[in-house]
Amino acid sequence: MNQEKLEIITKLFEGKEIRSVWNSDKEDYYFSVVDVVGILSGTNRPRKYWNDLKQKLLVEGSQLSEKIGQLKMKSSDGKYYNQDVLDTKGILRLIESIPSPKAEPFKMWLATLGKERIDEVFDPEIAIKRSINYYRNRGYSDKWIESRLKGILDRNKLTDVWKENGITKDYEYAILTNEIYKE
């Protein structure tokens, strides 16, 4: 998730802080569950609300609680304490579970994104147009965009050839990719 996506999330949370940690191994952010619950529920006791919600989700058969991790995060007193955290997918699922008017803008945003991706499944050209518009909005030239899209296509063709010839492990792709970049 890039900085722009984090800014969108901050806007949806009315500018209030959501503590997050980047995990470079898994290439995902982990968000403080209590921060999200506190902002969206409006409660003065977000930990209690979270514990009650966790129990409710377990009764409903939700597997969200199995995905909860613990990370040390800085507290308001400046010390670091273990906090319940969820990755991006988990935190979005949690937000869907919180009945609150404050959660509605987030739920609408998620619904919009979901609809866009479903539309792209039926018409992949929509995804290509979205990518082109994304790059244009960031000031890239049409020539750069064309080169980028061709590069992605060429890289996919190359990895398909590698796969057909027995390359199956991530580290093997990494070794071959590094060799190409050296040249």
Side-chain angles (χ1 to χ4, degrees), residues 10 21-22 57 75 100 112-113 123 133 136 140 155 168 176:
T10 302
V21 174
W22 172 253
L57 291 172
S75 184
S100 164
T112 301
L113 289 178
D123 185 359
N133 288 333
R136 278 187 181 147
Y140 292 102
R155 185 177 65 237
T168 57
L176 290 170

Side-chain angles (χ1 to χ4, degrees), residues 30 47 128:
Y30 286 80
R47 288 186 206 294
I128 295 166

Side-chain angles (χ1 to χ4, degrees), residues 22-148:
W22 172 253
N23 181 323
S24 56
D25 292 335
K26 296 187 179 180
E27 296 186 352
D28 205 352
Y29 278 95
Y30 286 80
F31 298 91
S32 166
V33 172
V34 171
D35 291 352
V36 171
V37 167
I39 291 168
L40 293 182
S41 68
T43 182
N44 293 332
R45 299 176 60 201
R47 288 186 206 294
K48 169 80 170 109
Y49 188 100
W50 168 231
N51 284 332
D52 293 345
L53 182 58
K54 234 190 306 193
Q55 293 306 313
K56 179 184 168 208
L57 291 172
L58 279 172
V59 169
E60 291 176 354
S62 171
Q63 297 174 0
L64 186 62
S65 60
E66 296 171 13
K67 301 190 185 317
I68 298 166
Q70 290 267 310
L71 289 175
K72 287 194 181 258
M73 294 186 149
K74 193 173 186 177
S75 184
S76 57
D77 65 4
K79 296 179 183 174
Y80 286 81
Y81 300 99
N82 277 335
Q83 300 287 318
D84 282 352
V85 294
L86 285 166
D87 63 9
T88 305
K89 184 177 177 182
I91 209 72
L92 294 173
R93 178 62 192 98
L94 172 69
I95 291 165
E96 294 172 333
S97 302
I98 298 175
S100 164
K102 289 184 177 185
E104 282 308 307
F106 222 122
K107 292 176 184 179
M108 290 302 298
W109 177 66
L110 290 172
T112 301
L113 289 178
K115 182 194 178 313
E116 288 172 0
R117 296 311 172 269
I118 289 170
D119 289 347
E120 290 170 3
V121 167
F122 293 108
D123 185 359
E125 187 175 329
I126 295 171
I128 295 166
K129 287 179 181 177
R130 182 174 52 84
S131 297
I132 291 169
N133 288 333
Y134 179 86
Y135 288 129
R136 278 187 181 147
N137 290 338
R138 271 138 200 82
Y140 292 102
S141 69
D142 284 348
K143 184 176 180 175
W144 184 94
I145 295 168
E146 181 181 353
S147 175
R148 174 76 174 144

